[in-house]
């Protein structure tokens, strides 16, 4: 990373042990110029040279490096236990950069249930023709093993919990299989956040986030970030894609992400508490065929979630009896929970995935996906109850 972060002494950061404290302090410090405790938002695109032509601050041009973006990157690296983070304009920009950056540029193994944007990236841009993609059910480790053995594989993509079926994938086991085959393993950690799950500690070669979701936390910014450990084969190519292809995270979005990080641990705990209560309430209703949520003891991902995560997350899906029409009608009766895509903000959001994804969707017709927000949980439950009553 070029350019220094305008903050207090690095020694203060290295002495920080606990995650909650890192979320507030890592990558930041009191501004030495002004004493401001809130990190300054540096919107300047360019930085002054000295008379001798050097750049005394280390900063030159914001696409290459920006103080606010550097601080966000340093904070993310600290929270995921990585060495470097590279911030992009969106989660999708980060994903596209990873596909392009993986060293062998060979086959990519993907989960068969994953963020739909990746499917669109493959189907509707040149990415689909430049790489070979093979989807597998990553809950089945034998399937992963035969997929990586079938053809030389460069990258194994992991998403857990997955979208929209809320499936759990054993990160450590899949990383090991990938490594035995000489492939890199990358985890999309958007839904769990580093509060609940830290994939680098489980062997992942990189962690990716849509910071648009829980990290920003208020549905008002867009950014993506990739965190890599030391000596990562991905680090330089990702940095060069960021810098030269230019889909960099904007300073203001980085500033909002840094603000979001400060409350991420407490927000995640509140999101998780609410989601478990909502899942239990939905499970008791006859008009709900099934609730997909790893916090339920009956969920196939429950034991793995207990091992791999420090909380069950706040994304859940449920299947309304009567299929797509009944699910749409139920969502149409909601008064508090907002019908909108995306997730991870303060507002509870609900979405009928099959109609959002269109004809290629593999989501069951009756499935509604919900991001449980930070409203009082009884208000959320009451709204769902009234919508499912008639
Ligand atoms: C939203 C999301 C993305 C894409 O991020 P954007 O910021 O919307 O580009 C990728 N993966 C997951 C799991 C997501 O939820």
């Amino acid at each position: 990373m070029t350019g220094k972060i305008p903050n207090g002494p690095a020694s203060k950061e290295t002495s920080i042990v606990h995650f909650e404290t890192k979320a507030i302090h890592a990558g930041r410090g009191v501004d030495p110029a002004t004493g401001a405790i809130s990190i300054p938002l540096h919107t300047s695109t360019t930085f002054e040279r000295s008379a001798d032509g050097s750049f005394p601050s280390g900063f030159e041009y914001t696409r290459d490096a920006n103080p606010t973006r550097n601080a966000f990157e340093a904070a993310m690296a600290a929270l995921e236990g990585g060495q470097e983070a590279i911030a992009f304009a969106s989660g999708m920009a980060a994903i596209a950069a990873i596909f392009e950056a993986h060293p062998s540029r060979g086959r990519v193994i993907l989960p068969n249930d994953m963020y739909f944007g990746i499917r669109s990236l493959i189907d509707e841009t040149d990415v689909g023709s430049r790489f070979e993609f093979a989807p597998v059910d990553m809950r089945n480790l034998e399937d992963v093993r035969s997929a990586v053995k079938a053809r030389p594989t460069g990258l194994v993509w992991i998403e857990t919990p997955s979208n929209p079926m809320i499936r759990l994938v054993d990160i450590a086991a899949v990383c090991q299989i990938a490594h035995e085959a000489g492939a890199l393993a990358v985890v999309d950690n958007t839904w769990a956040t580093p509060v609940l799950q830290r994939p680098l500690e489980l062997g992942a070669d990189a962690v990716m986030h849509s910071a648009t979701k829980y990290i920003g936390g208020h549905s008002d910014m867009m950014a993506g970030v990739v965190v890599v450990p030391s000596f990562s084969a991905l680090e330089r190519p990702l940095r060069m894609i960021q810098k030269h292809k230019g889909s960099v995270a904007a300073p203001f979005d980085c500033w909002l992400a840094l603000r979001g990080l400060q409350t991420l641990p407490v927000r995640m705990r509140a999101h998780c508490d609410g989601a478990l209560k909502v899942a239990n309430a939905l499970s008791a209703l006859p008009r709900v065929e099934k609730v997909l949520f790893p916090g339920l003891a009956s969920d196939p991902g429950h034991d793995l979630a207990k091992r791999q995560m420090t909380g069950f997350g706040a994304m859940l899906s449920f299947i309304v009896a009567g299929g797509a029409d009944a699910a749409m009608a139920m969502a149409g009766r909601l008064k508090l929970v907002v019908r909108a895509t995306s997730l991870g903000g303060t507002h509870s959001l609900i979405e009928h995935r099959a109609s959002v994804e269109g004809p290629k969707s593999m989501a069951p017709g009756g499935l509604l996906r919900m991001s449980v927000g930070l409203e009082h949980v009884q208000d959320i439950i009451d709204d769902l109850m009234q919508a499912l009553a008639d």
Side-chain angles (χ1 to χ4, degrees), residues 125-137:
T125 77
D126 63 323
V127 167
S129 55
R130 281 168 45 228
F131 306 98
E132 189 194 331
F133 293 94
V136 302
D137 183 346

Side-chain angles (χ1 to χ4, degrees), residues 42 44-49 55 57 59-62 65-67:
H42 289 284
S44 190
T45 52
T46 190
F47 300 84
E48 190 182 30
R49 278 190 188 213
F55 290 94
S57 67
F59 293 101
E60 185 177 338
Y61 186 59
T62 274
N66 168 279

Side-chain angles (χ1 to χ4, degrees), residues 367-384:
L367 181 141
L368 291 169
R369 187 193 79 182
M370 202 178 157
S371 170
V372 178
L374 297 178
E375 301 93 343
H376 194 289
V377 70
Q378 196 55 52
D379 292 333
I380 302 170
I381 291 172
D382 287 349
D383 194 31
L384 292 166

